[in-house]
Amino acid sequence: MECEREVRRRLREAGQEQLLRFWDELGSGQREGLLGELRLLDARELRDHCSRAQHAYERESSAPQRLDDRMRPVPAEFMGSVRRSHPEERRAWEEEGYRQISQNKVAVLLLAGGQGTRLGVTYPKGMYNVGLPSGKTLYQIQAERILRLQRLAGDKHSVQCTVPWYIMTSEFTLDPTQRFFEEHNFFGIDRADVVMFEQRMLPAVGFDGRAILERKDKVAMAPDGNGGLYRALADNRILEDLEARGICYIHVYCVDNILVKMADPMFVGFCVSKGADCGAKVVEKAYPSEPVGVVCQVDGVYQVVEYSEISPDTAEKRNPDGSLTYNAGSICNHFFTLDFLKNMAGTLGERLGYHVAIKKVPYVDEEGNLVKPTRPNGIKMEKFVFDVFQFANNFVAFEVVREEEFSPLKNADTADKDTPSTARRSLLWQHYRWALRAGAKFTDAEGCAIEEGSRVSEAEDPPVICEISPLISYFGEGLDLHLSKKEISSPFILDVQKV
Ligand code: UTP
């Protein structure tokens, strides 16, 4: 039991000996499992982590720090917009993006290590089916967008090209994600072009500064936030893989946005044309007090400022044209050059601070009973992917239209926003708009025409349920061929087998 003594000594040093309080009750297999977990925790790091979590929690419980006086919006010359930029410029950016993609210089990187606690499913969010007529999951939709984009860029430049897909997972999501991709034959993507890797985990900490046991023989661990990306890139030698493939530009995005336009050529082309090392897609805030982070400068460096860090007066501030001054809502959709990521995966990334997430963490009580708390009881420390903006030498932001590009799946259907229903509707409304634009004629079950004027609110399903496979159209392009003057009755699925 030399090993136990050594681990116990280290825990004592870290002030976390309670993690072994059920030791005497454990069988030998359980003891081995727990020791294996605890051996990975360095005493000093564990002590620092727990006290950092406790202090951050105490700070968080006091009034938030306001940043109003130190903030400036993103200057106009570093902003592009799908609506406001000149059409010629937009076309040129898009062309540039396609050119880069066709030369195999662009990769997509999915952040999929989250636990999805608000959605409340036991499997990775990417495997979620929001109830589309096709039954497609988020992973499948994304895979098909990649396939289509490769085809579009390749056709434009008469080449075959690849957009490799890097997927950051965690202890929770790696195995099920791998299995899911295997079961679905990687959705038709060459498996060599899908690279999964795992981020690190950190112990969840109670409000008293003590790490939590989720079972008698298991520490409650949580992924280290989507900003754990930078360390995970180094841990897993992903930068070497990117380099070996000749990738220069990486589009990083979240798993839960059903409308995500992966490796969007216009966004990529905009960032490349501006010589940016780091870029963010943003949407206009829906209303001044919308609780979204805003991309802006603080003391001259870029960051995402949380709504709680801005006073209502600043949130309401308007430009002479009536638009909100702090209007650039962050949608976790980023562009990085490989060189920038290399810097972040080194010492700069280590300098990123932690954010506090107060969560419900299942635990064993003093009597050894398993408790599922009804109220938050634990602190998870997370890094955020966008905290690297401060290190950018040339940061740009690109404004897109929310209805076309942002509808996240965060909550179960009992909530009123960001649910499976809202995600499904966003996609179906988008496809309905595409079909209308392509000249489709909609009819009801009796064959009578459904007038376009019979629009209902986008809070409900569109008048016609029409789902278009990403394999056919990445972003509404090329649909005239399939839908012009075509009579469509609900529900209609346009997919490859049916073409
Ligand atoms: P969220 O912050 O919405 O977290 O993640 P979540 O885990 O999906 O959901 P909740 O908060 O538990 O309900 C935004 C994106 O960042 C990824 C998620 O997978 C999602 O794509 N993420 C989050 C990670 O990759 N790793 C993490 O440690 C946390």
Side-chain angles (χ1 to χ4, degrees):
M1 278 299 138
E2 172 64 29
C3 208
E4 179 224 331
R5 266 212 302 280
E6 174 54 23
V7 169
R8 198 177 280 281
R9 186 193 63 71
R10 277 198 281 125
L11 288 181
R12 200 173 307 123
E13 205 184 309
Q16 300 293 330
E17 228 185 329
Q18 82 285 352
L19 293 175
L20 284 175
R21 69 184 186 277
F22 296 107
W23 182 258
D24 293 341
E25 299 174 32
L26 302 182
S28 61
Q30 291 173 308
R31 285 181 174 187
E32 232 0 91
L34 182 59
L35 283 185
E37 201 171 27
L38 293 174
R39 262 188 227 115
L40 300 176
L41 303 173
D42 172 81
R44 196 165 54 87
E45 277 180 21
L46 180 61
R47 192 189 55 220
D48 290 354
H49 169 71
C50 292
S51 84
R52 197 187 300 123
Q54 190 184 17
H55 289 124
Y57 166 68
E58 285 163 7
R59 263 201 316 278
E60 183 90 353
S61 317
S62 53
Q65 193 198 0
R66 300 277 198 215
L67 297 173
D68 305 58
D69 297 340
R70 298 157 53 195
M71 287 166 52
R72 296 281 171 280
V74 181
E77 63 269 33
F78 300 118
M79 282 283 289
S81 167
V82 282
R83 284 186 307 175
R84 281 187 274 269
S85 298
H86 194 278
E88 268 311 301
E89 262 187 326
R90 282 187 274 147
R91 202 193 46 73
W93 293 331
E94 192 168 53
E95 284 307 313
E96 177 62 17
Y98 275 121
R99 202 171 64 82
Q100 298 292 345
I101 293 168
S102 74
Q103 294 177 2
N104 300 309
K105 288 189 181 158
V106 181
V108 287
L109 194 155
L110 166 62
L111 303 168
Q115 289 172 284
T117 46
R118 284 168 288 172
L119 182 61
V121 289
T122 52
Y123 51 85
K125 238 190 233 184
M127 289 163 53
Y128 198 87
N129 157 14
V130 297
L132 290 169
S134 66
K136 284 180 188 173
T137 58
L138 296 176
Y139 281 147
Q140 182 168 358
I141 294 169
Q142 291 170 24
E144 293 184 354
R145 285 189 186 139
I146 294 177
L147 287 166
R148 172 72 186 165
L149 183 63
Q150 290 177 167
R151 167 70 69 88
L152 283 173
D155 286 354
K156 266 186 196 299
H157 292 269
S158 310
V159 292
Q160 278 216 323
C161 61
T162 304
V163 177
W165 193 6
Y166 292 85
I167 305 181
M168 183 174 81
T169 60
S170 64
E171 190 180 294
F172 294 105
T173 58
L174 179 62
D175 286 350
T177 301
Q178 260 169 348
R179 253 179 284 124
F180 192 70
F181 273 67
E182 292 284 348
E183 279 160 19
H184 292 87
N185 199 20
F186 286 71
F187 306 101
I189 295 185
D190 187 337
R191 65 180 56 206
D193 297 325
V194 181
V195 180
M196 293 187 199
F197 61 101
E198 207 175 326
Q199 67 180 110
R200 290 195 200 177
M201 306 283 284
L202 289 170
V205 181
F207 298 152
D208 58 358
R210 283 156 34 115
I212 297 173
L213 275 181
E214 74 176 28
R215 286 197 320 252
K216 289 180 180 179
D217 62 339
K218 179 149 186 24
V219 185
M221 301 287 281
D224 59 353
N226 56 25
L229 168 67
Y230 307 105
R231 200 147 67 163
L233 289 175
D235 285 349
N236 298 285
R237 304 182 62 80
I238 298 300
L239 297 163
E240 287 83 342
D241 194 276
L242 286 158
E243 181 119 57
R245 290 174 194 259
I247 299 293
C248 301
Y249 310 114
I250 299 101
H251 177 215
V252 174
Y253 70 99
C254 291
V255 71
D256 48 24
N257 177 12
I258 196 166
L259 299 182
V260 64
K261 206 173 166 192
M262 301 155 70
D264 172 8
M266 197 184 290
F267 177 49
V268 170
F270 167 73
C271 294
V272 172
S273 306
K274 295 283 176 192
D277 51 358
C278 174
K281 264 193 185 179
V282 296
V283 295
E284 269 189 358
K285 279 176 82 168
Y287 49 95
S289 60
E290 188 186 14
V292 293
V294 167
V295 178
C296 61
Q297 290 182 320
V298 175
D299 298 334
V301 291
Y302 287 96
Q303 74 172 67
V304 175
V305 169
E306 299 297 337
Y307 179 68
S308 56
E309 296 173 312
I310 313 178
S311 69
D313 279 354
T314 302
E316 294 274 357
K317 225 167 141 181
R318 289 185 187 272
N319 301 319
D321 67 359
S323 60
L324 291 172
T325 306
Y326 295 103
N327 207 12
S330 171
I331 59 170
C332 197
N333 219 300
H334 308 308
F335 166 95
F336 299 117
T337 60
L338 179 60
D339 288 339
F340 184 79
L341 285 183
K342 281 184 190 167
N343 288 335
M344 295 310 113
T347 46
L348 283 183
E350 289 300 316
R351 280 170 38 193
L352 298 182
Y354 284 95
H355 299 256
V356 179
I358 308 297
K359 303 256 172 158
K360 293 180 215 159
V361 183
Y363 66 99
V364 276
D365 65 14
E366 289 309 315
E367 284 71 51
N369 304 309
L370 211 68
V371 183
K372 276 200 160 189
T374 50
R375 274 185 294 172
N377 62 317
I379 310 160
K380 293 184 180 174
M381 296 292 273
E382 298 186 335
K383 290 189 173 184
F384 288 171
V385 69
F386 51 65
D387 278 345
V388 295
F389 293 177
Q390 59 182 307
F391 300 118
N393 287 321
N394 190 2
F395 178 88
V396 293
F398 191 69
E399 189 218 345
V400 297
V401 177
R402 184 187 294 244
E403 290 70 34
E404 297 298 332
E405 298 207 33
F406 185 56
S407 180
L409 171 63
K410 297 286 184 196
N411 305 308
D413 257 330
T414 42
D416 55 3
K417 64 182 269 210
D418 302 343
T419 65
S421 295
T422 59
R424 184 184 63 250
R425 269 184 213 126
S426 302
L427 192 87
L428 291 175
W429 270 102
Q430 183 185 57
H431 291 190
Y432 174 65
R433 289 192 296 269
W434 290 354
L436 275 179
R437 224 172 44 212
K441 303 276 168 239
F442 298 112
T443 57
D444 62 20
E446 279 77 47
C448 300
I450 297 174
E451 292 308 318
E452 201 189 313
S454 64
R455 286 173 77 96
V456 286
S457 135
E458 292 209 8
E460 296 164 35
D461 279 345
V464 176
I465 302 297
C466 155
E467 184 187 346
I468 297 166
S469 167
L471 292 172
I472 292 189
S473 187
Y474 169 75
F475 209 61
E477 80 290 342
L479 289 173
D480 304 24
L481 188 68
H482 305 292
L483 296 179
S484 177
K485 303 205 175 73
K486 188 177 166 82
E487 290 207 351
I488 291 177
S489 64
S490 201
F492 173 78
I493 303 180
L494 181 63
D495 212 334
V496 271
Q497 312 83 292
K498 301 192 178 160
V499 178

